[in-house]
Amino acid sequence: MFDLSLGILGSAGVALALTLSVYAAIAGAIGAHRRDARLQTSARLTSIAVFLALTTAVVAMMAALLTDDFSVKYVAEHSRIASPTWVKVVTLWAALEGSVLLWAWLLTGYTAVLAVTTPNTVLRPWAISIMHTVQVFFLGVVAFAANPFIVLANPPLDGPGANPLLQNHWMMAVHPVLMYLGFVGLTVPFAFAMAALITRRPGTEWMRLTRRWTLTGWGFLTAAIVSGGWWSYEVLGWGGFWAWDPVENVSIMPWLTATAFIHSVQVQERRRMLKAWNLLLIVLTFSLTLLGTFLIRSGVISSVHAFGDGPVGPYFLAFFVIVALASLTLVALRWDQVRDRSELDAAVSREGAFLGVNVLFLALAFAVLLGTIFPLLVEAATGARVTVGAPFFDQVSLPLWMLVFALMGVGPLLPWRRAETQTLKRNLAWMLAAAGVAAGIALALGMRKVYPTITIGLAGWNLASFALLLAGAIVPRARITGRSLASVFRAYAFEHKRRFGSMVVHLGAVIVALGIVGASGYRVDQQLRLEYGAPAAFQGYELVAIEPFAVREGGRVSVGVYIDVFVDGRQVTTLSPRINTFGDQQQPVPTASVRYTPGHDLYLSLAGSVSPDTDFVVIRAVQSPLVTWIWIGGVIMALGTAYTLSPVGARARSTVRSDSAAGAEA
Amino acid sequence: MRRVLVTTAVVGSLAALFVFGLLRGHPDRDIPSNLLGRTAPSFELPLYEHYTAEYGTVLSLAEERGRPMIINFWASWCGPCYDEAPHLERIWNRYRDDVLVIGVQTQDRDARAAGRAFIDQFGLSFPNVHDNDSRVSITYGLFGVPETFFVRADGTVQYKHAGPVTESMMVEQIEAMLR
Amino acid sequence: MRRRVPSARRLGPLVIVAMAIAALSAPHAMLAQEGALDRRVFEIANELRCPTCVSESVGQSSSPIAREMRIIIQEQLEGGATRTEILAFFQERYGDWILLEPPKRGLHLLVWVLPVAAAMVGVVVLGVLVRRWQAAGATPVAADPADLARVRAALERTDERPSHVDADAFGERHERGA
């Protein structure tokens, strides 16, 4: 079918991309240094060529996967003829080599877009050179350390297929891509920050140029974390969504520092403070994405989803050290320019709240990092083995999260520079009252656990804060203009997209928090023995096991049980928890069956085996209150971010802005 | 300059920690046993029929105390167990007057036929028992198979080895137990 | 070959198929021993690490050892044991490693103390900086007459007094450039 082997085509694409990227990194740097416009342009255009070259490689891999070309090593090791097409597509990033290839490809794509769309500034050539330097690392890993395109002399007739846990759920098509889009997105502000340091322009220019990229990266990372939670919930069979496993920890660490970053850049944009701090935060964020990849890909720390320990660990460690040392040294060398000569009018102000939330997010990130590497630390020091698991992370992080949510209610209500005591007191009184009412309702409903009750109170606190924000923005305008509240609201949301988008994101966060409170604070987890035909009671449900079944579809064998679910004698649904086995792989994957409702989920998974000659089946039944709201809240957070970034209404705003900007300065 | 030094020190110590992690290999290997120096828990488990003539139908660890013991945990699905079985048989033949070797098939539910095949494949002549519900494996704090415990004559655990045993390392431990 | 993962690689594909079937349709004898577990079992199991798994709790894992450990917890609960006693039972056999919450003693104290210490240092440093910045902010700044004139003109143009809350739409000013 192909005269040219796909493996060779792919290797050639990677090699070409690597060579061009090395050229672009060097030419870009020289061009930037000598202010040579031709070299700069050459580096920019090369970015597009690199993207096209690597696209060829990715297309070759995709073709190899889809045509079951087992002469390509990666396909032979991770794909299987009988797999459905979507699984073959997803296999591109289901194992180590492919996922590094995807990461590199997204990076080249971002760089190409950046090269085309960024306005011509002094920063651009350096930023592009730095993007290429990062790219050279990833392409080098693909070319030398984890080459998926190695051609096998004796190709097998079929392969083992992808990791069963990964091909068991379609979310695997989405979650890793979102994660890498997030990581790559956060590379852009890092590159511009470094460019700003090199060119001695550590002002706000670099963050203004990358504001959209940062928010895009953050939004993808948020969506990736939430979708990863949903994947765990659906696939891992115990009805949980977050286990503080190292792989989850390393995804939340850059999220925490990136969240701190998107808040603290506003202080610099507005008040010219925190220059050094923002640079350190973006260095930290980017370094943590590398460190995290090292931790879970090297087998240094054991993790339930450390899919495929590979040979890339030492490379990521080396790159992490280089990036951290080089960028921090650069910050140190430019210290005289970046140190703050700041002024603060009052601690109780918008900037004060941002400073506070920065400390909280950094403390959270530190606690997560420490807990994740602590077993290694103890082993290095004494040789003893210790485990740091969910109970630790819960106890340490929950108080900090409560403070984050408390500040989240106050911060947006505070004006820049200084808050009027009178209005502040009035607002706090409303919010306290709402928090009291919410917590009171929770207590009246029988909630006694400390953190869940506080969280409900904080939800009330934050809802009151949203109401005050909107009322403060809309009511006076409506009164002055005489228009209806709804039309003023629409105009407000349209004109103040950043402000309104951030409110939506915060609302999403409150909803996620409520979901977590219900699902982890009040979940009921039980193992039941169901005799066929005999009803068993579980949390207001009646469960009746009907019969076992076995089906074969798309190269997958499912063995399970049909269970009818009754509420008050009325059948509401039939659930079918099962065990999936993929091809020759011996690892059977228990797969849960879930009834989703807004109030709670009923989650059934098989806890024993199924056999036609037994008269009962053992299942694990989980009732998870409010768990669906975690996913809904996550979607709201992503939509809020997208709204902030969307170009809609950009023109409408410009007319209003000159007035409001001048007004704000007054 | 001071700032550069501080950064280098912080990044460097982190890197050193991770290099240690890379060198020490897989994180869950060779976890020290909590039983070292303490009395090996007793158990009573059914013997395979190969050994009933000599030892009865049930092997009771408490009754065998008084001489050093090697308790080897294995499973029929475990690759390294196949590597180490001949070594255990040779050690048993060499030291059977002084040391008792006990094989415990564990974490291998309802696999009597596979266990029998394993024993026959290597002609194991030391007593082998079946820990069907893996309770003894939990009592001994097993992290996997194979794991091998070296128990002194007084019943205390001298050493635990995770992974396949070899003749030479067993000789070393036996000499220490007999000393 | 990983020691911990059941592997039948050397037994050939036939056995693998047989094993898969055995795993899916285990004989009656095995199932008869399994049964209902109380919800308290999982609460305790979630504090224990599964010894044969990679980074999973006994409550999460569906491995045979984790299942057996859950049955042990159930039996001990029925026998009147408390949560502490059950955790101690497993700790005696497996050491501190088995506890997902590191015990608060010895070197392990560090993991508990350091995050709190770090947060406190953060708060103190921030406090010092805020005081310093406030002192800097208290010194009056000479205003550029041109700026003042622009501000005055802007104030006269707007009849709308921005309320304290919607004053700014943060950073809006800079969006023009982006």
Side-chain angles (χ1 to χ4, degrees), chain A residues 269-300:
Chain A
E269 284 185 0
R270 199 66 194 201
R271 300 296 317 274
R272 303 286 185 270
M273 294 165 68
L274 305 182
K275 274 188 212 126
W277 180 245
N278 286 324
L279 287 163
L280 289 174
L281 274 182
I282 195 63
V283 168
L284 195 60
T285 303
F286 181 61
S287 304
L288 281 175
T289 63
L290 298 173
L291 182 67
T293 312
F294 160 71
L295 283 179
I296 56 169
R297 290 299 193 184
S298 62
V300 159

mmCIF file of all heavy atoms in Angstrom, chain A residues 269-300:
data_model
loop_
_atom_site.group_PDB
_atom_site.id
_atom_site.type_symbol
_atom_site.label_atom_id
_atom_site.label_comp_id
_atom_site.label_asym_id
_atom_site.label_seq_id
_atom_site.Cartn_x
_atom_site.Cartn_y
_atom_site.Cartn_z
ATOM 1 N N GLU A 269 -0.317 44.188 36.247
ATOM 2 C CA GLU A 269 -0.913 44.981 35.177
ATOM 3 C C GLU A 269 -1.468 46.282 35.728
ATOM 4 O O GLU A 269 -1.400 47.330 35.114
ATOM 5 C CB GLU A 269 -2.056 44.193 34.513
ATOM 6 C CG GLU A 269 -1.574 43.097 33.582
ATOM 7 C CD GLU A 269 -2.730 42.431 32.872
ATOM 8 O OE1 GLU A 269 -3.892 42.827 33.113
ATOM 9 O OE2 GLU A 269 -2.479 41.497 32.093
ATOM 10 N N ARG A 270 -2.050 46.174 36.907
ATOM 11 C CA ARG A 270 -2.793 47.283 37.463
ATOM 12 C C ARG A 270 -1.919 48.213 38.287
ATOM 13 O O ARG A 270 -2.050 49.418 38.236
ATOM 14 C CB ARG A 270 -3.858 46.647 38.357
ATOM 15 C CG ARG A 270 -5.001 47.504 38.683
ATOM 16 C CD ARG A 270 -5.787 47.810 37.460
ATOM 17 N NE ARG A 270 -6.659 48.903 37.794
ATOM 18 C CZ ARG A 270 -7.755 49.213 37.165
ATOM 19 N NH1 ARG A 270 -8.117 48.528 36.121
ATOM 20 N NH2 ARG A 270 -8.486 50.210 37.553
ATOM 21 N N ARG A 271 -1.056 47.582 39.101
ATOM 22 C CA ARG A 271 -0.332 48.383 40.078
ATOM 23 C C ARG A 271 1.180 48.346 39.891
ATOM 24 O O ARG A 271 1.905 48.844 40.738
ATOM 25 C CB ARG A 271 -0.675 47.914 41.507
ATOM 26 C CG ARG A 271 -2.142 48.024 41.878
ATOM 27 C CD ARG A 271 -2.642 49.468 41.890
ATOM 28 N NE ARG A 271 -1.717 50.397 42.512
ATOM 29 C CZ ARG A 271 -1.676 50.639 43.809
ATOM 30 N NH1 ARG A 271 -2.509 50.045 44.625
ATOM 31 N NH2 ARG A 271 -0.808 51.488 44.298
ATOM 32 N N ARG A 272 1.658 47.663 38.854
ATOM 33 C CA ARG A 272 3.094 47.585 38.594
ATOM 34 C C ARG A 272 3.851 46.966 39.763
ATOM 35 O O ARG A 272 4.993 47.308 40.026
ATOM 36 C CB ARG A 272 3.672 48.985 38.319
ATOM 37 C CG ARG A 272 3.027 49.721 37.167
ATOM 38 C CD ARG A 272 3.474 49.115 35.858
ATOM 39 N NE ARG A 272 2.981 49.868 34.724
ATOM 40 C CZ ARG A 272 1.803 49.617 34.131
ATOM 41 N NH1 ARG A 272 1.021 48.658 34.563
ATOM 42 N NH2 ARG A 272 1.415 50.318 33.096
ATOM 43 N N MET A 273 3.181 46.069 40.489
ATOM 44 C CA MET A 273 3.859 45.386 41.589
ATOM 45 C C MET A 273 4.154 43.950 41.177
ATOM 46 O O MET A 273 3.672 43.472 40.172
ATOM 47 C CB MET A 273 2.948 45.344 42.826
ATOM 48 C CG MET A 273 2.653 46.695 43.418
ATOM 49 S SD MET A 273 1.260 46.585 44.552
ATOM 50 C CE MET A 273 1.950 45.617 45.857
ATOM 51 N N LEU A 274 4.910 43.258 42.012
ATOM 52 C CA LEU A 274 5.100 41.810 41.894
ATOM 53 C C LEU A 274 5.776 41.353 40.608
ATOM 54 O O LEU A 274 5.531 40.256 40.144
ATOM 55 C CB LEU A 274 3.746 41.086 42.007
ATOM 56 C CG LEU A 274 2.897 41.355 43.232
ATOM 57 C CD1 LEU A 274 1.644 40.522 43.160
ATOM 58 C CD2 LEU A 274 3.660 41.063 44.491
ATOM 59 N N LYS A 275 6.636 42.180 40.041
ATOM 60 C CA LYS A 275 7.319 41.772 38.815
ATOM 61 C C LYS A 275 8.081 40.466 39.015
ATOM 62 O O LYS A 275 7.908 39.502 38.278
ATOM 63 C CB LYS A 275 8.332 42.840 38.417
ATOM 64 C CG LYS A 275 7.762 43.950 37.591
ATOM 65 C CD LYS A 275 8.918 44.822 37.105
ATOM 66 C CE LYS A 275 8.466 46.255 36.989
ATOM 67 N NZ LYS A 275 9.300 47.189 37.730
ATOM 68 N N ALA A 276 8.945 40.454 40.018
ATOM 69 C CA ALA A 276 9.785 39.275 40.254
ATOM 70 C C ALA A 276 8.912 38.074 40.601
ATOM 71 O O ALA A 276 9.141 36.959 40.137
ATOM 72 C CB ALA A 276 10.747 39.548 41.394
ATOM 73 N N TRP A 277 7.900 38.334 41.404
ATOM 74 C CA TRP A 277 7.026 37.257 41.849
ATOM 75 C C TRP A 277 6.356 36.578 40.655
ATOM 76 O O TRP A 277 6.299 35.349 40.568
ATOM 77 C CB TRP A 277 5.986 37.831 42.811
ATOM 78 C CG TRP A 277 5.042 36.823 43.342
ATOM 79 C CD1 TRP A 277 3.711 36.758 43.124
ATOM 80 C CD2 TRP A 277 5.360 35.708 44.186
ATOM 81 N NE1 TRP A 277 3.165 35.680 43.765
ATOM 82 C CE2 TRP A 277 4.165 35.020 44.423
ATOM 83 C CE3 TRP A 277 6.549 35.224 44.744
ATOM 84 C CZ2 TRP A 277 4.100 33.861 45.214
ATOM 85 C CZ3 TRP A 277 6.489 34.089 45.526
ATOM 86 C CH2 TRP A 277 5.276 33.423 45.745
ATOM 87 N N ASN A 278 5.849 37.370 39.715
ATOM 88 C CA ASN A 278 5.177 36.783 38.552
ATOM 89 C C ASN A 278 6.136 35.981 37.699
ATOM 90 O O ASN A 278 5.787 34.915 37.188
ATOM 91 C CB ASN A 278 4.517 37.877 37.718
ATOM 92 C CG ASN A 278 3.272 38.397 38.404
ATOM 93 O OD1 ASN A 278 2.553 37.627 39.031
ATOM 94 N ND2 ASN A 278 3.031 39.685 38.310
ATOM 95 N N LEU A 279 7.354 36.486 37.559
ATOM 96 C CA LEU A 279 8.349 35.737 36.791
ATOM 97 C C LEU A 279 8.638 34.396 37.474
ATOM 98 O O LEU A 279 8.690 33.346 36.832
ATOM 99 C CB LEU A 279 9.636 36.557 36.675
ATOM 100 C CG LEU A 279 9.534 37.745 35.723
ATOM 101 C CD1 LEU A 279 10.659 38.736 35.971
ATOM 102 C CD2 LEU A 279 9.583 37.252 34.281
ATOM 103 N N LEU A 280 8.790 34.446 38.800
ATOM 104 C CA LEU A 280 9.064 33.207 39.526
ATOM 105 C C LEU A 280 7.896 32.229 39.384
ATOM 106 O O LEU A 280 8.093 31.025 39.225
ATOM 107 C CB LEU A 280 9.323 33.503 41.007
ATOM 108 C CG LEU A 280 10.647 34.197 41.301
ATOM 109 C CD1 LEU A 280 10.734 34.574 42.774
ATOM 110 C CD2 LEU A 280 11.812 33.289 40.927
ATOM 111 N N LEU A 281 6.669 32.755 39.429
ATOM 112 C CA LEU A 281 5.508 31.871 39.339
ATOM 113 C C LEU A 281 5.449 31.155 37.995
ATOM 114 O O LEU A 281 5.155 29.958 37.942
ATOM 115 C CB LEU A 281 4.215 32.671 39.527
ATOM 116 C CG LEU A 281 3.744 32.886 40.954
ATOM 117 C CD1 LEU A 281 2.430 33.643 40.947
ATOM 118 C CD2 LEU A 281 3.581 31.563 41.682
ATOM 119 N N ILE A 282 5.756 31.865 36.922
ATOM 120 C CA ILE A 282 5.641 31.207 35.620
ATOM 121 C C ILE A 282 6.795 30.225 35.426
ATOM 122 O O ILE A 282 6.614 29.138 34.859
ATOM 123 C CB ILE A 282 5.515 32.222 34.456
ATOM 124 C CG1 ILE A 282 5.017 31.504 33.188
ATOM 125 C CG2 ILE A 282 6.798 32.940 34.162
ATOM 126 C CD1 ILE A 282 3.649 30.905 33.310
ATOM 127 N N VAL A 283 7.962 30.560 35.969
ATOM 128 C CA VAL A 283 9.077 29.605 35.931
ATOM 129 C C VAL A 283 8.699 28.350 36.708
ATOM 130 O O VAL A 283 8.884 27.209 36.263
ATOM 131 C CB VAL A 283 10.351 30.242 36.523
ATOM 132 C CG1 VAL A 283 11.414 29.182 36.758
ATOM 133 C CG2 VAL A 283 10.884 31.321 35.602
ATOM 134 N N LEU A 284 8.120 28.566 37.888
ATOM 135 C CA LEU A 284 7.711 27.448 38.738
ATOM 136 C C LEU A 284 6.674 26.588 38.023
ATOM 137 O O LEU A 284 6.748 25.352 38.012
ATOM 138 C CB LEU A 284 7.127 28.026 40.028
ATOM 139 C CG LEU A 284 6.944 27.077 41.204
ATOM 140 C CD1 LEU A 284 8.280 26.487 41.592
ATOM 141 C CD2 LEU A 284 6.345 27.834 42.379
ATOM 142 N N THR A 285 5.689 27.243 37.403
ATOM 143 C CA THR A 285 4.630 26.493 36.729
ATOM 144 C C THR A 285 5.195 25.621 35.623
ATOM 145 O O THR A 285 4.905 24.424 35.546
ATOM 146 C CB THR A 285 3.595 27.473 36.140
ATOM 147 O OG1 THR A 285 3.097 28.285 37.205
ATOM 148 C CG2 THR A 285 2.450 26.747 35.490
ATOM 149 N N PHE A 286 6.031 26.235 34.790
ATOM 150 C CA PHE A 286 6.589 25.460 33.676
ATOM 151 C C PHE A 286 7.501 24.352 34.196
ATOM 152 O O PHE A 286 7.440 23.208 33.732
ATOM 153 C CB PHE A 286 7.347 26.393 32.720
ATOM 154 C CG PHE A 286 7.939 25.689 31.547
ATOM 155 C CD1 PHE A 286 7.124 25.020 30.647
ATOM 156 C CD2 PHE A 286 9.308 25.657 31.344
ATOM 157 C CE1 PHE A 286 7.668 24.343 29.561
ATOM 158 C CE2 PHE A 286 9.860 24.996 30.254
ATOM 159 C CZ PHE A 286 9.033 24.328 29.370
ATOM 160 N N SER A 287 8.327 24.662 35.202
ATOM 161 C CA SER A 287 9.213 23.638 35.753
ATOM 162 C C SER A 287 8.414 22.482 36.340
ATOM 163 O O SER A 287 8.811 21.324 36.226
ATOM 164 C CB SER A 287 10.099 24.228 36.850
ATOM 165 O OG SER A 287 10.816 25.313 36.374
ATOM 166 N N LEU A 288 7.293 22.809 36.980
ATOM 167 C CA LEU A 288 6.496 21.749 37.608
ATOM 168 C C LEU A 288 5.883 20.819 36.566
ATOM 169 O O LEU A 288 5.704 19.632 36.842
ATOM 170 C CB LEU A 288 5.400 22.351 38.494
ATOM 171 C CG LEU A 288 5.858 22.845 39.865
ATOM 172 C CD1 LEU A 288 4.725 23.537 40.598
ATOM 173 C CD2 LEU A 288 6.391 21.691 40.712
ATOM 174 N N THR A 289 5.544 21.344 35.372
ATOM 175 C CA THR A 289 5.029 20.425 34.354
ATOM 176 C C THR A 289 6.126 19.428 33.962
ATOM 177 O O THR A 289 5.842 18.243 33.774
ATOM 178 C CB THR A 289 4.544 21.166 33.096
ATOM 179 O OG1 THR A 289 5.640 21.827 32.487
ATOM 180 C CG2 THR A 289 3.469 22.170 33.407
ATOM 181 N N LEU A 290 7.369 19.897 33.888
ATOM 182 C CA LEU A 290 8.470 18.993 33.542
ATOM 183 C C LEU A 290 8.762 18.030 34.684
ATOM 184 O O LEU A 290 8.930 16.824 34.489
ATOM 185 C CB LEU A 290 9.731 19.798 33.214
ATOM 186 C CG LEU A 290 9.636 20.734 32.017
ATOM 187 C CD1 LEU A 290 10.884 21.573 31.920
ATOM 188 C CD2 LEU A 290 9.426 19.941 30.739
ATOM 189 N N LEU A 291 8.793 18.586 35.904
ATOM 190 C CA LEU A 291 9.085 17.753 37.066
ATOM 191 C C LEU A 291 8.023 16.662 37.214
ATOM 192 O O LEU A 291 8.328 15.499 37.483
ATOM 193 C CB LEU A 291 9.131 18.614 38.327
ATOM 194 C CG LEU A 291 9.475 17.867 39.602
ATOM 195 C CD1 LEU A 291 10.902 17.369 39.538
ATOM 196 C CD2 LEU A 291 9.290 18.741 40.820
ATOM 197 N N GLY A 292 6.764 17.062 37.018
ATOM 198 C CA GLY A 292 5.672 16.101 37.137
ATOM 199 C C GLY A 292 5.811 14.982 36.126
ATOM 200 O O GLY A 292 5.652 13.798 36.458
ATOM 201 N N THR A 293 6.144 15.355 34.896
ATOM 202 C CA THR A 293 6.323 14.329 33.871
ATOM 203 C C THR A 293 7.455 13.393 34.264
ATOM 204 O O THR A 293 7.352 12.175 34.118
ATOM 205 C CB THR A 293 6.621 14.989 32.518
ATOM 206 O OG1 THR A 293 5.671 16.017 32.313
ATOM 207 C CG2 THR A 293 6.549 13.988 31.397
ATOM 208 N N PHE A 294 8.524 13.970 34.799
ATOM 209 C CA PHE A 294 9.627 13.119 35.261
ATOM 210 C C PHE A 294 9.135 12.156 36.343
ATOM 211 O O PHE A 294 9.375 10.953 36.278
ATOM 212 C CB PHE A 294 10.767 13.976 35.806
ATOM 213 C CG PHE A 294 11.691 13.222 36.717
ATOM 214 C CD1 PHE A 294 12.551 12.267 36.200
ATOM 215 C CD2 PHE A 294 11.668 13.419 38.088
ATOM 216 C CE1 PHE A 294 13.381 11.542 37.042
ATOM 217 C CE2 PHE A 294 12.482 12.697 38.925
ATOM 218 C CZ PHE A 294 13.344 11.751 38.399
ATOM 219 N N LEU A 295 8.441 12.697 37.342
ATOM 220 C CA LEU A 295 8.065 11.870 38.494
ATOM 221 C C LEU A 295 7.230 10.668 38.089
ATOM 222 O O LEU A 295 7.435 9.562 38.573
ATOM 223 C CB LEU A 295 7.289 12.705 39.516
ATOM 224 C CG LEU A 295 8.110 13.639 40.382
ATOM 225 C CD1 LEU A 295 7.219 14.423 41.315
ATOM 226 C CD2 LEU A 295 9.129 12.848 41.185
ATOM 227 N N ILE A 296 6.259 10.876 37.182
ATOM 228 C CA ILE A 296 5.368 9.757 36.892
ATOM 229 C C ILE A 296 5.848 8.903 35.736
ATOM 230 O O ILE A 296 5.370 7.796 35.552
ATOM 231 C CB ILE A 296 3.932 10.231 36.627
ATOM 232 C CG1 ILE A 296 3.919 11.249 35.505
ATOM 233 C CG2 ILE A 296 3.317 10.800 37.878
ATOM 234 C CD1 ILE A 296 2.543 11.555 35.026
ATOM 235 N N ARG A 297 6.826 9.410 34.970
ATOM 236 C CA ARG A 297 7.297 8.603 33.852
ATOM 237 C C ARG A 297 8.580 7.850 34.164
ATOM 238 O O ARG A 297 9.084 7.102 33.346
ATOM 239 C CB ARG A 297 7.552 9.488 32.624
ATOM 240 C CG ARG A 297 6.306 10.043 32.000
ATOM 241 C CD ARG A 297 5.395 8.950 31.509
ATOM 242 N NE ARG A 297 4.357 9.483 30.649
ATOM 243 C CZ ARG A 297 3.374 8.757 30.147
ATOM 244 N NH1 ARG A 297 3.278 7.478 30.435
ATOM 245 N NH2 ARG A 297 2.448 9.300 29.378
ATOM 246 N N SER A 298 9.162 8.083 35.327
ATOM 247 C CA SER A 298 10.451 7.467 35.611
ATOM 248 C C SER A 298 10.311 6.284 36.552
ATOM 249 O O SER A 298 11.254 5.536 36.736
ATOM 250 C CB SER A 298 11.368 8.491 36.256
ATOM 251 O OG SER A 298 10.797 8.909 37.477
ATOM 252 N N GLY A 299 9.134 6.113 37.153
ATOM 253 C CA GLY A 299 8.983 5.032 38.118
ATOM 254 C C GLY A 299 9.653 5.345 39.444
ATOM 255 O O GLY A 299 9.812 4.470 40.283
ATOM 256 N N VAL A 300 10.039 6.610 39.661
ATOM 257 C CA VAL A 300 10.667 6.981 40.929
ATOM 258 C C VAL A 300 9.654 6.921 42.063
ATOM 259 O O VAL A 300 9.954 6.574 43.195
ATOM 260 C CB VAL A 300 11.275 8.394 40.801
ATOM 261 C CG1 VAL A 300 11.481 9.031 42.143
ATOM 262 C CG2 VAL A 300 12.586 8.323 40.056
#
